[in-house]
Structure formats: C-alpha cells, structure tokens
C-alpha cells in the first residue's frame, strides 16, 4: 500500500520539524542572554559618557562620588594626624593654652568633614536648583554648628585656665556663670547666622526679641534690679 510509506515520510518530516523548533526555542534564550551580556559590556565601557541622569552623565556622577570619598578620607586623616601630634607636644609643656588648642581641634566632628567633602563634590556635577539649595543648606548648618562647637570649646578652655588661677568656691561659681553666658551668646549667634542663610529675615527676629526683652524687663524690673545689684557686689567684692 503506497499510503503507509507516505505516512511514514510525513511523520518523519513532522518530527524533524518539531525537533528543530524545540532546538531553536532552547537556543533562543541562550542567544538572548549572550546578546544581553555583550550589551552590558558595551554599556560599562561606553555608557559613562552616554547615560545621563539628573542633568549629569554617569561619568560626572562618578567623579563627584570619587571626590566625596577622597576629600572625606584625606580630611579625616589630616585631622587625626594633626590632633595626635599636637596632643603629644602639648603634654610636654607646662602651659595650658596649647591644651585648649588641642581640645578645639579634637572637637571637630564628622559632619565637618562631610560638609567639606560635599562642598568639593558638588562642583563636579550640575545640580538642580532644589538640590543645590538643599546641599548649600546642609553645608552651612554643618559648618555653623562646627564653628559653634569650636567656639564653646575654646571659651570653656579659657574659662578653665582662668578658674585655675582663681581657685576657690567663688572662682568656680564665677567660672560656671561665665561659661554659661558665653555658650548662650555663641549659640545665639550661630542660630541667627543659620537662619540668615536659610532665608529668614533675622532683622524681624532681632526686633521681636528686642521688643520681647523690653517687655520682660519692664515686667520683672525689680527682680532684675536686685539681680544686677547682687552681681555688682559679687564682682566688686567690697567687703574683701
């Protein structure tokens, strides 16, 4: 019967065709994966100049990240070396002024180094106006707070040196009062400086504080009079 050989031939052709389709289906993901790998290699080689994000190329962001890390590491290393060497030198002297200088240097916090690193890194990328303002605010706040820490450390060290020369209960009380007033003035100045750089009209704040201070002074006039009279007697010491 000629139908049987024909059926066998058609079956073989169908099987061969089906096997070819299955083989092609298995090879397609491999070919796609190979193409994706080649595309990734091309991307990593050339995409730094072609890919852009937030108005900057990937190369610009890489430079900014490198600058951020390098400045952070370098400033921290310089700070550690300088503080250790000055401390070793200050321990060999009898004066206390160099101890205050070392204390001021050692009071440098991590956010000071971060602010310096951010200040340098932002020059390698073109930031959006909002991002530029946020980074500037962070830098100003960090540097202002660090300046306040330095000032309070220096004033505290100076008061401590003065208190050593005036040992006694009255000297300790006066030193504590001077330290409190100096800290209050320093952080008030720092706060006003930060508010001014954040866009706040400090003239209105100062005027409000002035008016409020006058009102409070009028309200507690007798108490303030007694307080200043006591302070005058304390500092003048007319009975010593």
């Amino acid at each position: 019967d000629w139908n049987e050989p024909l059926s066998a031939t058609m079956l073989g052709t169908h099987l061969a065709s089906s096997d070819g389709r299955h083989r092609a289906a298995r090879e397609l993901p491999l070919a796609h994966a190979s193409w994706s790998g080649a595309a990734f290699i091309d991307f990593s080689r050339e995409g730094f100049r072609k890919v852009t994000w937030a108005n900057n190329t990937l190369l610009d962001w890489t430079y900014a990240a490198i600058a951020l890390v390098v400045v952070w590491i370098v400033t921290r290393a310089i700070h550690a070396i300088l503080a250790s060497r000055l401390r070793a030198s200050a321990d060999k002297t009898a004066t206390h002024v160099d101890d205050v200088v070392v204390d001021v240097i050692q009071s440098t916090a991590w956010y000071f180094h971060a602010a310096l690193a951010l200040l340098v890194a932002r020059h390698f990328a073109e930031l959006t106006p909002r991002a530029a303002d946020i980074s500037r605010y962070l830098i100003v706040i960090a540097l202002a707070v660090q300046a306040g820490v330095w000032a309070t450390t220096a004033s505290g060290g100076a008061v401590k040196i003065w208190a050593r020369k005036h040992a006694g209960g009255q000297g300790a009380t006066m030193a504590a009062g001077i330290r409190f007033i100096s800290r209050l003035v320093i952080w008030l100045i720092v706060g006003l400086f930060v508010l001014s750089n954040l866009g706040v009209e400090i003239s209105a704040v100062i005027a409000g504080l002035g008016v409020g201070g006058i009102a409070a002074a009028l309200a507690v006039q007798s108490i303030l009079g007694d307080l200043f009279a006591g302070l005058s007697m304390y500092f003048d010491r007319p009975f010593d």
Side-chain angles (χ1 to χ4, degrees):
D1 190 6
W2 59 273
N3 289 326
E4 292 182 1
L6 182 61
S7 298
T9 303
M10 293 178 61
L11 180 60
T13 304
H14 175 73
L15 292 176
S17 175
S18 177
D19 183 64
R21 286 196 301 269
H22 286 294
R23 187 183 299 110
R26 289 194 302 269
E27 292 175 355
L28 182 59
L30 296 177
H32 179 70
S34 177
W35 179 85
S36 300
F40 177 77
I41 294 174
D42 293 339
F43 169 78
S44 63
R45 185 182 305 158
E46 301 176 357
F48 284 95
R49 294 186 180 275
K50 294 181 180 179
V51 178
T52 60
W53 180 70
N55 299 329
N56 292 278
T57 64
L58 190 58
L59 186 63
D60 294 333
W61 288 116
T62 303
Y63 285 154
I66 292 174
L68 184 73
V69 174
V70 169
V71 173
W72 170 274
I73 294 175
V74 170
T75 55
R76 291 294 295 264
I78 293 175
H79 173 230
I81 294 172
L82 184 62
S84 62
R85 291 188 177 182
L86 288 179
R87 174 59 68 186
S89 177
D91 292 338
K92 299 178 182 179
T93 61
T95 181
H96 299 289
V97 177
D98 50 1
D99 295 330
V100 176
V101 175
V102 175
D103 291 338
V104 171
I105 295 175
Q106 288 183 337
S107 66
T108 304
W110 62 270
Y111 46 81
F112 173 75
H113 305 285
L116 292 181
L118 182 59
L119 182 63
V120 175
R122 69 197 298 261
H123 292 288
F124 289 89
E126 183 180 355
L127 302 178
T128 61
R130 181 175 178 81
D133 290 340
I134 292 175
S135 63
R136 184 174 64 85
Y137 294 155
L138 292 176
I139 292 171
V140 168
I141 292 173
L143 295 181
V145 171
Q146 183 60 72
V149 172
W150 284 337
T152 53
T153 304
S155 63
V159 172
K160 185 183 296 184
I161 293 175
W162 179 86
R164 288 175 180 174
K165 296 180 181 179
H166 301 78
Q170 293 180 345
T173 303
M174 186 180 298
I178 296 174
R179 188 180 298 110
F180 172 77
I181 294 174
S182 64
R183 287 182 178 179
L184 181 63
V185 172
I186 289 170
W187 288 113
L188 181 61
I189 295 174
V190 170
L192 292 176
F193 175 78
V194 171
L195 290 176
S196 176
N197 282 271
L198 292 179
V200 179
E201 290 292 337
I202 61 172
S203 58
V205 177
I206 295 175
L209 291 175
V211 173
I214 293 174
L218 292 176
V220 293
Q221 184 176 3
S222 59
I223 298 176
L224 289 177
D226 295 338
L227 177 62
F228 285 117
L231 290 175
S232 177
M233 293 180 62
Y234 178 79
F235 287 109
D236 292 339
R237 298 182 181 180
F239 304 107
D240 288 348

Short mmCIF file of all heavy atoms in Angstrom, two decimals, residues 29-80:
data_model
loop_
_atom_site.label_atom_id
_atom_site.label_comp_id
_atom_site.label_asym_id
_atom_site.label_seq_id
_atom_site.Cartn_x
_atom_site.Cartn_y
_atom_site.Cartn_z
N PRO A 29 16.88 31.61 24.25
CA PRO A 29 17.28 32.29 25.50
C PRO A 29 18.78 32.43 25.62
O PRO A 29 19.28 33.42 26.12
CB PRO A 29 16.69 31.40 26.60
CG PRO A 29 15.58 30.66 25.94
CD PRO A 29 16.04 30.43 24.53
N LEU A 30 19.52 31.39 25.15
CA LEU A 30 20.98 31.48 25.24
C LEU A 30 21.50 32.60 24.37
O LEU A 30 22.40 33.37 24.77
CB LEU A 30 21.60 30.14 24.83
CG LEU A 30 21.28 28.95 25.74
CD1 LEU A 30 21.90 27.68 25.16
CD2 LEU A 30 21.76 29.21 27.15
N ALA A 31 20.93 32.71 23.17
CA ALA A 31 21.36 33.78 22.28
C ALA A 31 21.00 35.14 22.86
O ALA A 31 21.77 36.09 22.80
CB ALA A 31 20.72 33.60 20.90
N HIS A 32 19.80 35.22 23.48
CA HIS A 32 19.38 36.48 24.09
C HIS A 32 20.27 36.84 25.27
O HIS A 32 20.66 38.00 25.45
CB HIS A 32 17.92 36.36 24.53
CG HIS A 32 17.41 37.60 25.20
ND1 HIS A 32 17.19 38.78 24.51
CD2 HIS A 32 17.12 37.85 26.51
CE1 HIS A 32 16.77 39.70 25.35
NE2 HIS A 32 16.72 39.16 26.56
N ALA A 33 20.61 35.84 26.10
CA ALA A 33 21.49 36.09 27.23
C ALA A 33 22.86 36.53 26.76
O ALA A 33 23.48 37.43 27.34
CB ALA A 33 21.59 34.84 28.10
N SER A 34 23.36 35.87 25.68
CA SER A 34 24.66 36.27 25.16
C SER A 34 24.61 37.69 24.63
O SER A 34 25.53 38.49 24.85
CB SER A 34 25.07 35.29 24.04
OG SER A 34 26.30 35.70 23.47
N TRP A 35 23.52 38.07 23.96
CA TRP A 35 23.39 39.43 23.47
C TRP A 35 23.30 40.44 24.62
O TRP A 35 23.89 41.51 24.57
CB TRP A 35 22.15 39.51 22.59
CG TRP A 35 21.93 40.91 22.07
CD1 TRP A 35 22.48 41.46 20.96
CD2 TRP A 35 21.09 41.92 22.65
NE1 TRP A 35 22.05 42.77 20.80
CE2 TRP A 35 21.19 43.06 21.84
CE3 TRP A 35 20.28 41.96 23.78
CZ2 TRP A 35 20.52 44.23 22.11
CZ3 TRP A 35 19.60 43.13 24.06
CH2 TRP A 35 19.72 44.25 23.23
N SER A 36 22.58 40.06 25.70
CA SER A 36 22.46 40.96 26.84
C SER A 36 23.81 41.17 27.51
O SER A 36 24.16 42.27 27.90
CB SER A 36 21.46 40.40 27.86
OG SER A 36 20.18 40.27 27.25
N GLY A 37 24.60 40.11 27.63
CA GLY A 37 25.92 40.25 28.21
C GLY A 37 26.81 41.15 27.38
O GLY A 37 27.53 42.00 27.90
N ALA A 38 26.74 41.00 26.07
CA ALA A 38 27.53 41.87 25.21
C ALA A 38 27.08 43.31 25.33
O ALA A 38 27.89 44.24 25.36
CB ALA A 38 27.42 41.40 23.76
N ALA A 39 25.75 43.51 25.44
CA ALA A 39 25.26 44.87 25.60
C ALA A 39 25.71 45.48 26.91
O ALA A 39 26.05 46.65 27.00
CB ALA A 39 23.72 44.89 25.50
N PHE A 40 25.73 44.67 27.98
CA PHE A 40 26.19 45.17 29.27
C PHE A 40 27.66 45.54 29.22
O PHE A 40 28.09 46.54 29.79
CB PHE A 40 25.93 44.11 30.35
CG PHE A 40 26.44 44.52 31.70
CD1 PHE A 40 25.73 45.44 32.46
CD2 PHE A 40 27.63 44.02 32.18
CE1 PHE A 40 26.19 45.84 33.69
CE2 PHE A 40 28.09 44.42 33.42
CZ PHE A 40 27.38 45.31 34.16
N ILE A 41 28.46 44.73 28.54
CA ILE A 41 29.88 45.04 28.41
C ILE A 41 30.07 46.34 27.64
O ILE A 41 30.86 47.21 28.02
CB ILE A 41 30.62 43.88 27.72
CG1 ILE A 41 30.59 42.63 28.62
CG2 ILE A 41 32.05 44.26 27.39
CD1 ILE A 41 31.16 41.40 27.95
N ASP A 42 29.30 46.50 26.57
CA ASP A 42 29.38 47.75 25.83
C ASP A 42 28.93 48.93 26.68
O ASP A 42 29.50 50.01 26.61
CB ASP A 42 28.52 47.67 24.56
CG ASP A 42 29.09 46.66 23.56
OD1 ASP A 42 30.30 46.36 23.66
OD2 ASP A 42 28.33 46.18 22.71
N PHE A 43 27.91 48.69 27.50
CA PHE A 43 27.42 49.77 28.36
C PHE A 43 28.47 50.18 29.38
O PHE A 43 28.69 51.37 29.62
CB PHE A 43 26.15 49.31 29.07
CG PHE A 43 25.71 50.23 30.16
CD1 PHE A 43 25.05 51.40 29.86
CD2 PHE A 43 25.97 49.92 31.48
CE1 PHE A 43 24.65 52.25 30.87
CE2 PHE A 43 25.59 50.77 32.49
CZ PHE A 43 24.92 51.93 32.18
N SER A 44 29.10 49.22 30.02
CA SER A 44 30.09 49.54 31.03
C SER A 44 31.33 50.19 30.42
O SER A 44 32.06 50.86 31.12
CB SER A 44 30.50 48.27 31.78
OG SER A 44 31.12 47.35 30.90
N ARG A 45 31.53 50.02 29.15
CA ARG A 45 32.72 50.58 28.51
C ARG A 45 32.45 51.97 27.97
O ARG A 45 33.30 52.84 28.03
CB ARG A 45 33.16 49.64 27.37
CG ARG A 45 34.46 50.02 26.69
CD ARG A 45 34.75 49.06 25.56
NE ARG A 45 34.75 47.69 26.04
CZ ARG A 45 34.56 46.62 25.25
NH1 ARG A 45 34.31 46.78 23.98
NH2 ARG A 45 34.58 45.41 25.77
N GLU A 46 31.26 52.20 27.44
CA GLU A 46 30.99 53.47 26.78
C GLU A 46 29.85 54.27 27.41
O GLU A 46 29.70 55.44 27.13
CB GLU A 46 30.62 53.21 25.31
CG GLU A 46 31.70 52.48 24.52
CD GLU A 46 31.24 52.16 23.10
OE1 GLU A 46 30.07 52.47 22.79
OE2 GLU A 46 32.04 51.60 22.33
N GLY A 47 29.08 53.62 28.27
CA GLY A 47 27.89 54.28 28.79
C GLY A 47 28.17 55.41 29.77
O GLY A 47 27.27 56.19 30.05
N PHE A 48 29.38 55.49 30.32
CA PHE A 48 29.68 56.55 31.27
C PHE A 48 29.52 57.93 30.64
O PHE A 48 29.22 58.90 31.32
CB PHE A 48 31.11 56.39 31.80
CG PHE A 48 31.24 55.30 32.81
CD1 PHE A 48 31.64 54.03 32.43
CD2 PHE A 48 30.96 55.54 34.14
CE1 PHE A 48 31.76 53.02 33.37
CE2 PHE A 48 31.08 54.54 35.08
CZ PHE A 48 31.47 53.28 34.70
N ARG A 49 29.73 58.02 29.34
CA ARG A 49 29.59 59.31 28.66
C ARG A 49 28.24 59.45 27.96
O ARG A 49 27.89 60.56 27.54
CB ARG A 49 30.71 59.48 27.63
CG ARG A 49 32.09 59.60 28.24
CD ARG A 49 33.12 59.92 27.18
NE ARG A 49 34.44 60.03 27.75
CZ ARG A 49 34.95 61.13 28.30
NH1 ARG A 49 34.21 62.23 28.33
NH2 ARG A 49 36.15 61.15 28.80
N LYS A 50 27.51 58.36 27.81
CA LYS A 50 26.25 58.41 27.09
C LYS A 50 25.05 58.45 28.01
O LYS A 50 24.07 59.12 27.72
CB LYS A 50 26.12 57.20 26.16
CG LYS A 50 27.16 57.19 25.03
CD LYS A 50 26.95 55.98 24.15
CE LYS A 50 27.97 55.94 23.01
NZ LYS A 50 27.78 54.76 22.15
N VAL A 51 25.11 57.74 29.12
CA VAL A 51 23.97 57.67 30.04
C VAL A 51 23.93 58.94 30.89
O VAL A 51 24.93 59.35 31.48
CB VAL A 51 24.08 56.43 30.94
CG1 VAL A 51 22.91 56.38 31.92
CG2 VAL A 51 24.11 55.17 30.09
N THR A 52 22.80 59.58 30.95
CA THR A 52 22.61 60.79 31.74
C THR A 52 21.52 60.56 32.78
O THR A 52 20.57 59.82 32.55
CB THR A 52 22.23 61.99 30.85
OG1 THR A 52 21.02 61.69 30.16
CG2 THR A 52 23.34 62.29 29.86
N TRP A 53 21.70 61.19 33.91
CA TRP A 53 20.71 61.13 34.99
C TRP A 53 20.78 62.44 35.77
O TRP A 53 21.86 62.85 36.20
CB TRP A 53 20.98 59.95 35.92
CG TRP A 53 19.98 59.85 37.03
CD1 TRP A 53 18.67 59.51 36.93
CD2 TRP A 53 20.21 60.13 38.41
NE1 TRP A 53 18.06 59.54 38.17
CE2 TRP A 53 19.00 59.91 39.09
CE3 TRP A 53 21.33 60.52 39.13
CZ2 TRP A 53 18.87 60.10 40.45
CZ3 TRP A 53 21.20 60.71 40.50
CH2 TRP A 53 19.98 60.49 41.15
N ALA A 54 19.65 63.10 35.90
CA ALA A 54 19.55 64.37 36.63
C ALA A 54 20.53 65.41 36.08
O ALA A 54 21.30 66.04 36.82
CB ALA A 54 19.80 64.15 38.13
N ASN A 55 20.50 65.56 34.75
CA ASN A 55 21.29 66.57 34.05
C ASN A 55 22.79 66.33 34.10
O ASN A 55 23.57 67.24 33.82
CB ASN A 55 21.00 67.98 34.60
CG ASN A 55 19.55 68.38 34.44
OD1 ASN A 55 18.89 67.96 33.49
ND2 ASN A 55 19.05 69.18 35.37
N ASN A 56 23.22 65.11 34.44
CA ASN A 56 24.64 64.80 34.51
C ASN A 56 24.87 63.42 33.91
O ASN A 56 24.03 62.53 34.00
CB ASN A 56 25.16 64.83 35.96
CG ASN A 56 25.15 66.21 36.54
OD1 ASN A 56 26.04 67.01 36.32
ND2 ASN A 56 24.10 66.51 37.32
N THR A 57 26.04 63.26 33.32
CA THR A 57 26.41 61.95 32.80
C THR A 57 26.86 61.06 33.94
O THR A 57 27.17 61.53 35.05
CB THR A 57 27.53 62.08 31.76
OG1 THR A 57 28.72 62.60 32.40
CG2 THR A 57 27.13 63.01 30.62
N LEU A 58 26.90 59.78 33.64
CA LEU A 58 27.36 58.84 34.65
C LEU A 58 28.82 59.10 35.02
O LEU A 58 29.24 58.89 36.16
CB LEU A 58 27.20 57.41 34.12
CG LEU A 58 27.41 56.27 35.12
CD1 LEU A 58 26.44 56.39 36.28
CD2 LEU A 58 27.24 54.93 34.44
N LEU A 59 29.59 59.62 34.09
CA LEU A 59 30.98 59.96 34.37
C LEU A 59 31.07 61.12 35.36
O LEU A 59 31.92 61.11 36.27
CB LEU A 59 31.69 60.32 33.07
CG LEU A 59 33.21 60.55 33.16
CD1 LEU A 59 33.92 59.29 33.60
CD2 LEU A 59 33.75 61.02 31.81
N ASP A 60 30.19 62.11 35.22
CA ASP A 60 30.19 63.23 36.16
C ASP A 60 29.84 62.77 37.57
O ASP A 60 30.47 63.20 38.55
CB ASP A 60 29.18 64.29 35.70
CG ASP A 60 29.59 64.95 34.40
OD1 ASP A 60 30.81 64.99 34.12
OD2 ASP A 60 28.70 65.41 33.65
N TRP A 61 28.83 61.89 37.68
CA TRP A 61 28.48 61.38 39.00
C TRP A 61 29.61 60.54 39.60
O TRP A 61 29.82 60.55 40.82
CB TRP A 61 27.20 60.55 38.91
CG TRP A 61 25.96 61.35 38.69
CD1 TRP A 61 25.14 61.32 37.61
CD2 TRP A 61 25.41 62.33 39.57
NE1 TRP A 61 24.10 62.21 37.75
CE2 TRP A 61 24.24 62.85 38.95
CE3 TRP A 61 25.77 62.82 40.82
CZ2 TRP A 61 23.44 63.82 39.55
CZ3 TRP A 61 24.98 63.81 41.41
CH2 TRP A 61 23.83 64.28 40.78
N THR A 62 30.33 59.82 38.74
CA THR A 62 31.47 59.04 39.23
C THR A 62 32.55 59.95 39.78
O THR A 62 33.12 59.69 40.86
CB THR A 62 32.03 58.17 38.10
OG1 THR A 62 30.98 57.33 37.59
CG2 THR A 62 33.17 57.31 38.60
N TYR A 63 32.86 61.02 39.05
CA TYR A 63 33.85 61.97 39.53
C TYR A 63 33.41 62.61 40.85
O TYR A 63 34.23 62.80 41.77
CB TYR A 63 34.07 63.06 38.49
CG TYR A 63 34.89 62.62 37.30
CD1 TYR A 63 34.73 63.25 36.05
CD2 TYR A 63 35.79 61.58 37.38
CE1 TYR A 63 35.46 62.85 34.95
CE2 TYR A 63 36.53 61.17 36.29
CZ TYR A 63 36.36 61.81 35.07
OH TYR A 63 37.10 61.41 33.98
N ALA A 64 32.13 62.94 40.95
CA ALA A 64 31.63 63.54 42.19
C ALA A 64 31.73 62.57 43.37
O ALA A 64 32.12 62.97 44.48
CB ALA A 64 30.18 63.97 41.99
N ALA A 65 31.40 61.30 43.12
CA ALA A 65 31.50 60.31 44.20
C ALA A 65 32.94 60.08 44.62
O ALA A 65 33.24 59.97 45.81
CB ALA A 65 30.87 58.99 43.73
N ILE A 66 33.85 60.05 43.65
CA ILE A 66 35.27 59.87 43.98
C ILE A 66 35.78 61.07 44.78
O ILE A 66 36.51 60.90 45.78
CB ILE A 66 36.08 59.68 42.69
CG1 ILE A 66 35.74 58.34 42.03
CG2 ILE A 66 37.58 59.75 42.98
CD1 ILE A 66 36.39 58.13 40.68
N ALA A 67 35.40 62.28 44.36
CA ALA A 67 35.82 63.47 45.09
C ALA A 67 35.27 63.46 46.51
O ALA A 67 35.98 63.83 47.47
CB ALA A 67 35.36 64.72 44.35
N LEU A 68 34.03 63.04 46.69
CA LEU A 68 33.42 62.97 48.01
C LEU A 68 34.20 62.04 48.93
O LEU A 68 34.54 62.39 50.07
CB LEU A 68 31.97 62.51 47.87
CG LEU A 68 31.13 62.46 49.15
CD1 LEU A 68 30.77 63.88 49.59
CD2 LEU A 68 29.85 61.65 48.93
N VAL A 69 34.52 60.85 48.43
CA VAL A 69 35.22 59.87 49.25
C VAL A 69 36.65 60.31 49.54
O VAL A 69 37.15 60.19 50.67
CB VAL A 69 35.19 58.49 48.55
CG1 VAL A 69 36.03 57.48 49.32
CG2 VAL A 69 33.76 57.99 48.41
N VAL A 70 37.33 60.83 48.52
CA VAL A 70 38.74 61.22 48.69
C VAL A 70 38.87 62.37 49.69
O VAL A 70 39.72 62.33 50.59
CB VAL A 70 39.35 61.61 47.33
CG1 VAL A 70 40.70 62.28 47.51
CG2 VAL A 70 39.50 60.38 46.45
N VAL A 71 38.02 63.39 49.56
CA VAL A 71 38.09 64.52 50.49
C VAL A 71 37.75 64.07 51.90
O VAL A 71 38.38 64.51 52.88
CB VAL A 71 37.15 65.64 50.03
CG1 VAL A 71 37.08 66.75 51.07
CG2 VAL A 71 37.62 66.21 48.70
N TRP A 72 36.77 63.20 52.05
CA TRP A 72 36.42 62.67 53.37
C TRP A 72 37.61 61.96 54.00
O TRP A 72 37.96 62.22 55.16
CB TRP A 72 35.23 61.72 53.23
CG TRP A 72 34.92 60.92 54.46
CD1 TRP A 72 35.47 59.73 54.83
CD2 TRP A 72 33.98 61.25 55.49
NE1 TRP A 72 34.94 59.30 56.01
CE2 TRP A 72 34.02 60.21 56.44
CE3 TRP A 72 33.11 62.31 55.68
CZ2 TRP A 72 33.22 60.20 57.57
CZ3 TRP A 72 32.31 62.30 56.82
CH2 TRP A 72 32.37 61.27 57.75
N ILE A 73 38.26 61.07 53.26
CA ILE A 73 39.37 60.30 53.80
C ILE A 73 40.56 61.20 54.11
O ILE A 73 41.19 61.09 55.17
CB ILE A 73 39.77 59.18 52.81
CG1 ILE A 73 38.64 58.15 52.69
CG2 ILE A 73 41.05 58.50 53.26
CD1 ILE A 73 38.90 57.09 51.65
N VAL A 74 40.88 62.12 53.20
CA VAL A 74 42.05 62.98 53.38
C VAL A 74 41.86 63.91 54.59
O VAL A 74 42.77 64.05 55.42
CB VAL A 74 42.32 63.79 52.10
CG1 VAL A 74 43.38 64.85 52.36
CG2 VAL A 74 42.78 62.87 50.99
N THR A 75 40.71 64.54 54.71
CA THR A 75 40.48 65.45 55.83
C THR A 75 40.45 64.71 57.17
O THR A 75 40.98 65.22 58.17
CB THR A 75 39.18 66.23 55.63
OG1 THR A 75 38.08 65.31 55.43
CG2 THR A 75 39.28 67.15 54.44
N ARG A 76 39.87 63.53 57.19
CA ARG A 76 39.88 62.75 58.43
C ARG A 76 41.30 62.34 58.81
O ARG A 76 41.67 62.36 60.00
CB ARG A 76 38.99 61.51 58.27
CG ARG A 76 37.50 61.79 58.16
CD ARG A 76 36.97 62.37 59.46
NE ARG A 76 37.05 61.44 60.55
CZ ARG A 76 36.05 60.65 60.94
NH1 ARG A 76 34.90 60.69 60.31
NH2 ARG A 76 36.20 59.85 61.98
N ALA A 77 42.10 61.95 57.82
CA ALA A 77 43.48 61.56 58.10
C ALA A 77 44.29 62.74 58.61
O ALA A 77 45.05 62.63 59.58
CB ALA A 77 44.11 60.97 56.84
N ILE A 78 44.14 63.90 57.96
CA ILE A 78 44.87 65.09 58.41
C ILE A 78 44.45 65.48 59.82
O ILE A 78 45.30 65.83 60.67
CB ILE A 78 44.62 66.25 57.43
CG1 ILE A 78 45.26 65.94 56.07
CG2 ILE A 78 45.17 67.56 57.98
CD1 ILE A 78 44.95 66.97 55.00
N HIS A 79 43.16 65.40 60.09
CA HIS A 79 42.67 65.75 61.43
C HIS A 79 43.24 64.81 62.49
O HIS A 79 43.70 65.26 63.56
CB HIS A 79 41.14 65.68 61.43
CG HIS A 79 40.54 65.84 62.78
ND1 HIS A 79 39.59 64.97 63.28
CD2 HIS A 79 40.75 66.75 63.76
CE1 HIS A 79 39.24 65.34 64.50
NE2 HIS A 79 39.92 66.41 64.81
N ALA A 80 43.25 63.52 62.20
CA ALA A 80 43.76 62.55 63.18
C ALA A 80 45.25 62.74 63.42
O ALA A 80 45.72 62.73 64.58
CB ALA A 80 43.47 61.13 62.69
#
